[in-house]
Amino acid sequence: MPPLLPCAADWDNHHRRYQGARVCQQELRDFEWLVRPRTGMAVVDIGCGTGGWTRQLARRWQSDVTGYDFSAEALRQARHFIVPGVRYRQWDLNTAAPEAGGAPGRASADVVTCRFALEFLDVACVLRQAARWLRPDGVLYALAAVAEDRHTEPSSPFQRTLPQDRLDALQAAPAWRQHWSVPGTKRHAIALRDPVGPPD
């Protein structure tokens, strides 16, 4: 049986001791190739943690970015950095209703990002919600840690991975008109563009 997902209090304790994964230049190049970002885009960053990626989006492309996380401690740390165009909200995608207070509005975003958070989320829910939030021709970008061996248990509940077959299914999601990816041995970047239509 896989380990239980960490709760918000677990993440609070984790963020008191560890920072999130740093953003490297290769990751930025892959994001640019997959997403073709433009200056001033509206971005929703799901599972933003302490906001390292959120701030990169705002600084590099002068984006209007809202970072969402359910860890109060992660958001407390993120708010220490004042960056124009960035705001943070506490919200749990796995349990909140689609139209819950504080959630992104329908057709309000050009890009939805999910960096090393998909492993902890309901993937079908992410796809459904992203389609709701994105404007026509919008892009869902996800960077996920890949399971080298699906039978190997993670050494920590904070180091989850996605098996390759789940990533393959995600890339073939039928509700998106275009599918792009940059595979890697330990991480896999995916972009799904132009949702067929937001769910009712």
Side-chain angles (χ1 to χ4, degrees):
M1 174 181 285
L4 293 175
L5 290 172
C7 67
D10 295 329
W11 279 109
D12 287 345
N13 290 329
H14 179 75
H15 286 301
R16 290 187 186 102
R17 293 172 291 172
Y18 303 104
Q19 292 294 311
R22 291 192 174 195
V23 180
C24 66
Q25 289 302 309
Q26 184 61 52
E27 180 182 346
L28 289 168
R29 286 192 291 270
D30 290 345
F31 178 79
E32 289 177 335
W33 184 80
L34 287 168
V35 176
R36 301 190 294 277
R38 58 176 175 76
T39 300
M41 59 189 176
V43 184
V44 170
D45 184 22
I46 297 299
C48 67
T50 55
W53 175 244
T54 316
R55 293 188 292 276
Q56 283 277 0
L57 292 165
R59 289 171 174 152
R60 197 173 181 95
W61 294 283
Q62 294 76 55
S63 304
D64 181 42
V65 191
T66 304
Y68 290 87
D69 205 280
F70 78 158
S71 166
E73 174 61 22
L75 296 177
R76 184 191 68 77
Q77 293 182 35
R79 290 181 177 119
H80 274 298
F81 301 89
I82 307 301
V83 177
V86 172
R87 69 194 61 79
Y88 297 100
R89 292 182 178 161
Q90 189 170 11
W91 196 65
D92 183 359
L93 182 142
N94 276 346
T95 61
E99 304 295 350
R106 185 184 291 266
S108 62
D110 300 300
V111 178
V112 172
T113 66
C114 189
R115 180 180 182 265
F116 295 127
L118 202 60
E119 301 89 327
F120 301 92
L121 296 171
D122 179 333
V123 175
C125 183
V126 171
L127 294 177
R128 189 168 57 250
Q129 298 283 44
R132 178 187 297 273
W133 301 331
L134 285 168
R135 296 169 179 151
D137 199 37
V139 183
L140 167 62
Y141 165 85
L143 181 65
V146 181
E148 296 180 31
D149 179 355
R150 65 180 303 161
H151 301 295
T152 302
E153 292 293 334
S155 58
S156 162
F158 304 101
Q159 295 177 342
R160 292 175 65 89
T161 58
L162 286 180
Q164 189 62 50
D165 58 346
R166 287 191 67 197
L167 285 166
D168 293 342
L170 176 62
Q171 292 174 83
W176 302 76
R177 292 189 175 92
Q178 297 182 50
H179 308 75
W180 303 87
S181 70
V182 178
T185 55
K186 293 188 177 180
R187 56 177 61 184
H188 199 120
I190 297 167
L192 304 179
R193 182 180 294 275
D194 195 7
V196 172
D200 296 330

